[in-house]
């Protein structure tokens, strides 16, 4: 078992790998919350934070043999969060930013539940930031999503599920962080229950498996994930990726794949806390039971 705990604030081919692992190795990622542990009390506002240190990602991890055109399979074997987290409103972010004040809430987690004011609800700890490096010469802040992954804020990025990321640079350079003990789809105010934690993942190399956008596998669904500044563009990205994968897995042409997606595909919103400079993120899912073979094999 490998262990990493140092963080970076960009996804970039220029980030120096913390460790090198073989395909199939297990790695423990110790992660920081999205504020880089700058928030300590409810009297502290997010506006006091150093914004250059937002959304840290632990890593990167170099996967031996990974080359552009390959895929790195990330099996999320375990995700554990700490016992207290933070949620805040953010100035000028989210659809209700003009109907609320800037506020910080520190929320305890105990026995698998979060306590918010006078109610409790189950947590479902997820990874907000996860992916590989973009193409050489490109650097993407960890707070932003893209075809490499990054700040996907997908509430299905949880224990037991498996993510697939396109390799754009040698070694892939896997990073992750920004855990949320719980978060609703769209992350309306711009934060979930931001919290430190630990992820155990198996990193496996799949050779010669070109994909453009991240893919997520659950027990019963396949999802493509994509992002863009506006909904129509994000919808096209997520649909094109799914169309290609479905056509390949079934042997159908693109038109039949498209017709099938309209019958059985569901488009869901991962993050859309507009107005915000961060792109919105969509996921498009189809049932695994319909597919003749896995959308991604390996």
């Amino acid at each position: 078992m490998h262990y990493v705990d140092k963080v970076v604030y960009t996804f970039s081919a220029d980030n120096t790998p913390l460790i090198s692992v073989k395909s199939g190795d297990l790695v423990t990622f110790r992660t920081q919350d999205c504020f880089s542990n700058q928030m300590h009390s409810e009297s502290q506002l997010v506006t006091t934070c150093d914004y250059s240190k937002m959304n840290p990602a632990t890593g990167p991890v170099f996967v031996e043999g990974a080359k552009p055109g390959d895929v790195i399979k990330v099996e999320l074997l375990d995700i554990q969060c700490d016992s207290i987290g933070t949620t805040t409103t953010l100035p000028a972010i989210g659809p209700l930013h003009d109907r609320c004040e800037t506020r910080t809430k520190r929320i305890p987690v105990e026995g698998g539940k979060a306590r918010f004011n006078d109610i409790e609800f189950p947590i479902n700890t997820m990874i907000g930031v996860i992916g590989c490096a973009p193409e050489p010469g490109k650097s993407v802040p960890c707070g932003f999503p893209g075809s490499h992954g990054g700040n996907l804020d997908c509430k299905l990025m949880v224990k037991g599920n498996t993510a697939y990321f396109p390799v754009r640079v040698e070694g892939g350079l896997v990073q992750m962080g920004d855990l949320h003990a719980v978060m609703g789809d769209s992350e309306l105010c711009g934060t979930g229950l931001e919290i430190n934690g630990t992820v155990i993942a198996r990193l496996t190399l799949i050779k010669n498996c070109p994909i453009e956008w991240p893919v997520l596998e659950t027990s019963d669904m396949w999802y493509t994930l994509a992002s863009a500044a506006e909904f129509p563009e994000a919808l096209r990205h997520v649909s094109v990726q799914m169309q290609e994968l479905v056509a390949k897995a079934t042997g159908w042409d693109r038109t039949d794949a498209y017709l099938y997606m309209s019958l059985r595909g569901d488009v869901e919103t991962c993050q859309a806390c507009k107005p915000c400079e961060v792109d919105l993120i969509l996921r498009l899912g189809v049932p695994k039971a319909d597919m003749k073979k896995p959308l991604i094999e390996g």
Side-chain angles (χ1 to χ4, degrees), residues 2 42-43 57 70 83 102 104 114 122 128 155 159 170 187-188 190 246 249 266 268-269 273 277:
H2 303 273
E42 293 193 340
S43 64
D70 298 337
S83 59
T102 303
T104 301
K155 74 175 187 179
K159 176 182 176 179
E170 186 176 0
E187 196 185 28
L188 281 178
V246 167
D266 289 319
E268 300 164 353
T269 304
C273 52
E277 63 178 335

Side-chain angles (χ1 to χ4, degrees), residues 85-145:
T86 305
T87 190
T88 74
T89 49
L90 300 167
I93 289 179
L96 304 180
H97 69 88
D98 59 340
R99 295 172 58 89
C100 67
E101 62 188 41
T102 303
R103 178 178 295 170
T104 301
K105 294 186 81 72
R106 294 278 282 170
I107 298 177
V109 173
E110 185 177 359
K113 294 184 177 181
R115 182 161 190 83
F116 183 94
N117 292 345
D118 56 349
I119 65 170
E120 288 185 336
F121 41 79
I123 65 169
N124 189 32
T125 308
M126 51 155 285
I127 303 169
V129 171
I130 183 170
C132 293
E135 58 268 24
K138 186 175 183 180
S139 179
V140 182
C142 290
F144 289 76

Side-chain angles (χ1 to χ4, degrees), residues 152 154-158 161-165 185 211 213-226 237-239 241-243 245-246 264-270 281-288 291 295-296:
L152 296 172
C154 175
K155 74 175 187 179
L156 303 182
M157 201 70 69
V158 297
N161 291 344
T162 299
Y164 301 82
F165 297 97
D185 271 340
I211 58 173
W213 292 90
V215 174
L216 183 66
E217 178 185 4
T218 72
S219 62
D220 59 350
M221 298 287 288
W222 285 100
Y223 293 92
T224 52
L225 295 96
H237 288 325
V238 80
S239 299
Q241 179 70 91
M242 183 61 80
Q243 182 189 42
L245 292 172
V246 167
R264 294 282 278 169
D266 289 319
V267 177
E268 300 164 353
T269 304
C270 296
I281 304 111
L282 300 179
R283 62 178 182 265
L284 168 57
V286 299
K288 289 174 74 173
M291 298 294 100
L295 295 192
I296 296 181

Side-chain angles (χ1 to χ4, degrees), residues 2 20-21 30 82-83 86 108 122 170 175 197-198 205 232 234 244 293 296:
H2 303 273
S20 178
V21 304
R30 177 62 185 171
D82 288 4
S83 59
T86 305
E170 186 176 0
Q175 302 174 186
T198 302
L205 177 61
E244 292 297 317
K293 62 181 182 179
I296 296 181

Side-chain angles (χ1 to χ4, degrees), residues 21-267:
V21 304
K22 298 182 183 301
S23 177
D25 281 358
L26 300 183
V27 182
T28 297
F29 294 81
R30 177 62 185 171
T31 68
Q32 299 178 14
D33 69 17
C34 79
F35 309 109
S36 295
N37 298 329
Q38 296 181 84
M39 301 290 286
H40 303 291
S41 72
E42 293 193 340
S43 64
Q44 182 183 2
L45 298 181
V46 69
T47 50
T48 67
C49 288
D50 180 350
Y51 274 59
S52 71
K53 295 182 177 179
M54 292 294 200
N55 291 97
T58 301
V61 174
F62 184 101
V63 179
E64 295 177 13
K67 304 285 186 182
D70 298 337
V71 158
I72 292 179
K73 175 181 178 181
V74 183
E75 296 173 80
L76 303 175
L77 304 180
D78 193 32
I79 305 177
Q80 299 293 329
C81 68
D82 288 4
S83 59
I84 189 166
T86 305
T87 190
T88 74
T89 49
L90 300 167
I93 289 179
L96 304 180
H97 69 88
D98 59 340
R99 295 172 58 89
C100 67
E101 62 188 41
T102 303
R103 178 178 295 170
T104 301
K105 294 186 81 72
R106 294 278 282 170
I107 298 177
V109 173
E110 185 177 359
K113 294 184 177 181
R115 182 161 190 83
F116 183 94
N117 292 345
D118 56 349
I119 65 170
E120 288 185 336
F121 41 79
I123 65 169
N124 189 32
T125 308
M126 51 155 285
I127 303 169
V129 171
I130 183 170
C132 293
E135 58 268 24
K138 186 175 183 180
S139 179
V140 182
C142 290
F144 289 76
S147 61
H148 64 290
N151 192 22
L152 296 172
D153 277 337
C154 175
K155 74 175 187 179
L156 303 182
M157 201 70 69
V158 297
K159 176 182 176 179
N161 291 344
T162 299
Y164 301 82
F165 297 97
V167 175
R168 303 268 164 72
V169 302
E170 186 176 0
L173 302 184
V174 179
Q175 302 174 186
M176 65 181 73
D178 181 34
L179 298 193
H180 304 141
V182 63
M183 188 198 82
D185 271 340
S186 293
E187 196 185 28
L188 281 178
C189 79
T191 62
L193 180 43
E194 312 291 342
I195 200 162
N196 294 347
T198 302
V199 180
I200 299 176
R202 177 180 286 111
L203 308 183
T204 302
L205 177 61
I206 303 175
K207 296 295 293 182
N208 302 315
C209 182
I211 58 173
E212 181 62 27
W213 292 90
V215 174
L216 183 66
E217 178 185 4
T218 72
S219 62
D220 59 350
M221 298 287 288
W222 285 100
Y223 293 92
T224 52
L225 295 96
S227 58
E230 302 296 336
F231 182 90
E233 184 181 2
L235 181 61
R236 178 169 173 80
H237 288 325
V238 80
S239 299
V240 168
Q241 179 70 91
M242 183 61 80
Q243 182 189 42
E244 292 297 317
L245 292 172
V246 167
K248 182 179 178 180
T250 59
W252 304 334
D253 65 17
R254 287 178 174 174
T255 302
D256 272 1
Y258 185 29
L259 289 168
Y260 163 79
M261 288 159 55
S262 191
L263 299 176
R264 294 282 278 169
D266 289 319
V267 177

